Amino acid sequence: MPTDSIAPSEDVSSKVDIPPVEDLLSTAVEAVGGVERPGQVTMVRAVQRAIESGDHLAVQAGTGTGKSLAYLIPSIRHAMTSKGAVVVSTATIALQRQLVDRDLPRLAKALAPQLPHEPSFAILKGRRNYLCRYKASAGWPDEEQDQLFDPREVNATGRMVQRIQEWANETETGDRDELVPGVNEQAWRQFSVSARECLGATRCPSGMECFAELARARAGESDVVVTNHALLAIDAMEDFPLLPEHEVVVVDEAHELVDRVTSVVSGELSETMVAVAARRVGKLIEQHLADRLMEAGEDLKALLTVAPAGRLDELPQVLGMTLALVRDAAWACITALGPRNGDKDDPEGAGLRRAAFTSLDEVHDTAQRMLDAFGHAEEVDRAEVVWLEAATDRRPPLLRVAPLTVAGMLRDKLFGDRTVILTSATLALGGAFEGLARQWGLGNGTGAAADAEPSEDTPEKGKKENKGGKGGKSRAGWAGIDVGSPFDHPRSGILYVAKHLPQPGRDGLPEAYLEEITELIEAAGGRTLGLFSSMRAAKAATEALRDRLSVPLLCQGDDSTMLLVKQFAEDEPTCLFGTLSLWQGVDVPGPSLRLVIIDRIPFPRPDDPLSSARQRHVAAKGGNGFMAVAATHAALLLAQGAGRLLRSQHDKGVVAVLDPRLATARYAGFLRDSLPPFWPTNDPAKVRSALKRLGDS
């Protein structure tokens, strides 16, 4: 929730001497009862200098550094002396809520006496996240209702719709995240609109009380605006601004920026999407045109149902003809709809027309985009990849299209006219920032960099600094700095690589792996987080080990992930096995977590369409596709997974990687250099002894 304190219209910043960031940090740390850390001081100085110089900055700040305060303080200080807000973007809802509900309220109150006014802040999400009052009251038809063939799903969705209707009369923000428990997408779509479907505040009968517009208004009056990577990307790449005017962006959880931006700019096409567009436009134009689009969608469905899933390197003739039919039928409907701003005096009609245009545009543009992805003479000229995903129980088969790189988009749209601070516990892969910098479009070089040296008492392992030059059209240079961690990794943690085990295969977990896991968990007395490369592997390990172990064993999927993590944290002997969301989403300090087991190096699947296409594209341009894509992906996840072990300065334990390639492969050094500097060993006896000593202490 945003604060009630709004900056006064009179510019008083020039009348008040604002203390330097070091003094503001001391005030804030004292107010929250914390302890100032060397890495935190280094980071607050580096961020301040980057803001002053206009250069971009990448900061690796280990768990426990206090990086939120370290970037919020110079951000607030800048907002006090400039006309615009500072935007803070996160990848997860959990961090957004932490910033808005805990960090910013305490910080604003603590700093208020030393600033021109108490800092104000707001949270801003995409329009889809807010209830649309007009759609809720107008009773727009739900075009996707007949896609729910399972009566149980229809009944469940109906109950969710009823809950939303009741909540709509009570909510003050219209924010979907306030609905607990949550609702499915089918139910929520009946009460929300995308930015392209929205009539606009001036044309909508509910425009004056629109939740999304009210959230934007609060953001426009705030010093700090908290948002997410998806909205940040949309704001940067669309012609219409969604975020208030700003000169500085802080990207927290920056290791996820490329994946989130890729998701935003990817497209998909299925028979369902075509059918929805045809139904939306059916009552607004001549029926034969809508029927033509529906028939093209049925042709697409028939083709995709029998086609093999996977990446499409060449465009099959029949698919090209079908995509052209879909594109042309959608364009005929768009043309028949007439002017886009018709029905100005008929809000309900305007809403239906806007919804039809939105669906038709998406179908037409995506079909054209997929056709444009083919026909390049050389691999280096290819810009996008298209692939077919097989049907699931909940959806039909669909085509997807995604860019092979988002570096150019980020360079031109995000980094081009603002200062960007990127931070995470995991950015220096293989000990260097250049890998992620290339993905962000910042490039390499020796140009201007933020002049921020670590303080003398910063640990040696935190003194890495990489300097980068100008990236393409970016107006500034960039610097990378690792401010270290307050944890003494070599004394608190062991990195055990089971070098004696066979290499992992594709036929599930070998018996040797199950025996190794059993011995490690018994030595630790439970207290184990098992991170597996797939849900199939996690479930197989759970089924195989429940009869061998005397401690409780939970598996992701048994209940909601949040409840499973809570149970794991509260019952010390309990073990928890799972996959991707646990690699990054678990924060369990204390004795409940002594052992993190990683079954194999988390490379992307060899048949993953996007990552395999990106590897090939990098290789075609003369680079090392494996290292630039697959190894970078694995290094990020390994570092995130290993980071689950130490969550407080009193934690101790072992990270056990069962995959021997982390000790023997030619790329092993790059992966190990991406991990925290734990004490390394390949000796299973030493590890089991250490775990037993921890259990007895």
Side-chain angles (χ1 to χ4, degrees):
M1 296 289 293
T3 62
D4 295 328
S5 57
I6 301 298
S9 57
E10 180 186 2
D11 182 12
V12 297
S13 60
S14 60
K15 302 177 182 179
V16 178
D17 290 330
I18 302 178
V21 289
E22 294 90 346
D23 294 350
L24 294 176
L25 177 62
S26 297
T27 299
V29 170
E30 182 179 355
V32 300
V35 177
E36 207 169 85
R37 299 152 187 158
Q40 191 178 45
V41 175
T42 299
M43 181 173 174
V44 80
R45 290 172 178 163
V47 173
Q48 176 64 23
R49 294 187 186 187
I51 291 174
E52 291 174 349
S53 69
D55 289 330
H56 308 304
L57 176 68
V59 185
Q60 178 165 285
T63 302
T65 302
K67 63 182 170 66
S68 295
L69 283 184
Y71 65 68
L72 286 174
I73 285 173
S75 296
I76 289 173
R77 193 178 190 277
H78 174 74
M80 294 287 129
T81 58
S82 67
K83 295 181 180 179
V86 170
V87 172
V88 176
S89 177
T90 76
T92 61
I93 293 174
L95 182 54
Q96 287 179 26
R97 298 266 42 120
Q98 175 188 316
L99 291 172
V100 174
D101 294 341
R102 190 187 73 181
D103 295 348
L104 279 166
R106 294 195 296 179
L107 185 58
K109 183 178 180 181
L111 298 184
Q114 296 179 277
L115 300 175
H117 60 265
E118 182 172 331
S120 56
F121 52 90
I123 189 168
L124 186 61
K125 305 175 183 179
R127 192 171 291 271
R128 270 285 186 200
N129 292 277
Y130 299 98
L131 181 137
C132 173
R133 289 187 186 272
Y134 179 58
K135 188 171 185 179
S137 62
W140 289 2
D142 176 23
E143 304 88 351
E144 299 182 14
Q145 191 60 247
D146 61 357
Q147 300 300 319
L148 296 172
F149 299 111
D150 188 338
R152 292 171 297 180
E153 290 194 23
V154 173
N155 291 336
T157 299
R159 290 191 293 271
M160 291 178 185
V161 167
Q162 185 175 356
R163 278 208 300 120
I164 297 173
Q165 290 170 333
E166 295 170 353
W167 170 76
N169 296 321
E170 304 170 356
T171 179
E172 296 182 0
T173 68
D175 188 337
R176 178 181 180 177
D177 291 330
E178 289 185 1
L179 265 171
V180 179
V183 297
N184 64 29
E185 191 63 21
Q186 285 84 5
W188 183 252
R189 278 186 176 275
Q190 298 181 48
F191 297 88
S192 66
V193 296
S194 67
R196 296 186 182 277
E197 292 172 320
C198 177
L199 294 174
T202 58
R203 298 179 63 199
C204 178
S206 302
M208 296 299 293
E209 52 185 3
C210 171
F211 287 123
E213 292 296 329
L214 291 172
R216 287 189 65 191
R218 286 192 292 268
E221 297 172 328
S222 300
D223 297 308
V224 178
V225 178
V226 179
T227 188
N228 56 66
H229 294 351
L231 188 62
L232 179 69
I234 295 170
D235 176 75
M237 294 171 193
E238 294 285 359
D239 294 332
F240 48 87
L242 301 174
L243 296 168
E245 182 180 348
H246 59 281
E247 298 175 344
V248 176
V249 175
V250 178
V251 180
D252 203 342
E253 300 173 310
H255 62 280
E256 294 205 47
L257 179 63
V258 169
D259 285 346
R260 299 301 173 107
V261 173
T262 298
S263 179
V264 166
V265 298
S266 296
E268 63 180 51
L269 189 64
S270 68
E271 180 271 337
T272 300
M273 293 174 56
V274 179
V276 167
R279 283 197 293 271
R280 283 185 171 184
V281 78
K283 296 180 180 180
L284 303 175
I285 62 173
E286 294 181 15
Q287 189 61 43
H288 74 91
L289 292 174
D291 289 344
R292 177 183 164 193
L293 179 60
M294 186 70 77
E295 290 168 2
E298 291 171 355
D299 290 345
L300 180 67
K301 177 182 179 181
L303 178 60
L304 299 186
T305 300
V306 298
R311 192 181 73 211
L312 298 172
D313 294 330
E314 302 293 338
L315 179 63
Q317 184 178 9
V318 64
L319 178 58
M321 294 173 60
T322 305
L323 287 173
L325 284 173
V326 171
R327 176 200 62 192
D328 295 344
W331 182 251
C333 293
I334 291 171
T335 303
L337 270 175
R340 292 181 179 261
N341 293 325
D343 296 328
K344 290 184 178 180
D345 298 326
D346 178 12
E348 183 173 354
L352 295 175
R353 284 169 55 81
R354 182 63 67 91
F357 271 123
T358 299
S359 288
L360 290 168
D361 287 341
E362 185 175 10
V363 168
H364 173 273
D365 295 350
T366 305
Q368 183 62 58
R369 181 177 169 187
M370 290 175 174
L371 290 168
D372 292 341
F374 299 95
H376 301 287
E378 302 290 341
E379 174 61 32
V380 293
D381 299 323
R382 191 190 298 265
E384 300 205 287
V385 59
V386 178
W387 71 95
L388 173 62
E389 284 191 5
T392 67
D393 293 338
R394 302 183 63 85
R395 63 160 178 77
L398 56 82
L399 285 171
R400 292 192 184 277
V401 58
L404 288 168
T405 176
V406 295
M409 300 178 199
L410 290 172
R411 180 185 65 235
D412 297 343
K413 302 294 186 179
L414 179 61
F415 294 98
D417 58 359
R418 55 181 64 84
T419 300
V420 183
I421 313 297
L422 306 112
T423 185
S424 169
T426 309
L427 292 182
L429 303 179
F433 291 85
E434 279 79 8
L436 284 180
R438 282 192 293 270
Q439 293 187 14
W440 297 330
L442 292 179
N444 297 314
T446 56
D451 180 20
E453 291 294 332
S455 57
E456 293 182 1
D457 49 358
T458 300
E460 285 295 322
K461 59 181 177 292
K463 289 190 177 182
K464 290 180 290 186
E465 182 173 5
N466 294 341
K467 295 186 177 182
K470 297 183 182 299
K473 296 181 181 178
S474 178
R475 67 185 173 91
W478 66 275
I481 185 169
D482 179 358
V483 300
S485 167
F487 301 156
D488 189 344
H489 286 93
R491 290 181 175 272
S492 300
I494 296 173
L495 173 63
Y496 165 54
V497 181
K499 187 177 179 180
H500 62 284
L501 291 179
Q503 287 196 18
R506 296 187 178 183
D507 300 325
L509 290 173
E511 177 62 27
Y513 279 50
L514 296 174
E515 292 177 358
E516 185 79 20
I517 294 172
T518 301
E519 293 174 356
L520 288 169
I521 291 177
E522 287 177 343
R527 302 179 176 89
T528 299
L529 177 65
L531 302 178
F532 293 83
S533 54
S534 69
M535 184 55 72
R536 178 184 174 186
K539 289 182 177 179
T542 302
E543 292 174 3
L545 295 176
R546 272 185 171 147
D547 293 337
R548 305 189 190 190
L549 296 171
S550 59
V551 295
L553 178 53
L554 308 175
C555 184
Q556 193 174 4
D558 291 345
D559 205 333
S560 75
T561 300
M562 180 179 68
L563 291 177
L564 290 173
V565 172
K566 184 174 185 291
Q567 186 176 345
F568 170 62
E570 292 176 351
D571 185 23
E572 282 190 24
T574 297
C575 302
L576 174 60
F577 287 2
T579 186
L580 190 59
S581 61
L582 298 187
W583 286 73
Q584 304 184 74
V586 175
D587 186 6
V588 180
S592 291
L593 179 52
R594 295 297 194 198
L595 172 64
V596 174
I597 294 177
I598 296 174
D599 70 327
R600 63 190 299 162
I601 298 172
F603 291 119
R605 289 172 55 96
D607 59 353
D608 179 83
L610 183 54
S611 65
S612 61
R614 284 178 165 173
Q615 287 187 59
R616 185 182 62 180
H617 189 68
V618 171
K621 297 173 73 173
N624 187 323
F626 172 79
M627 293 301 295
V629 180
T632 294
H633 172 92
L636 274 173
L637 270 182
L638 271 179
Q640 288 288 311
R644 300 309 96 199
L645 181 66
L646 304 183
R647 309 304 295 177
S648 76
Q649 295 196 32
H650 302 292
D651 290 345
K652 296 180 182 296
V654 172
V655 174
V657 181
L658 307 185
D659 191 335
R661 292 175 296 177
L662 192 60
T664 61
R666 55 183 172 77
Y667 49 79
F670 171 79
L671 296 180
R672 290 196 303 270
D673 286 345
S674 304
L675 298 175
F678 298 117
W679 184 77
T681 184
N682 303 127
D683 188 336
K686 288 183 178 179
V687 170
R688 290 195 295 269
S689 296
L691 287 170
K692 289 177 180 177
R693 288 196 300 273
L694 273 178
D696 295 336
S697 62

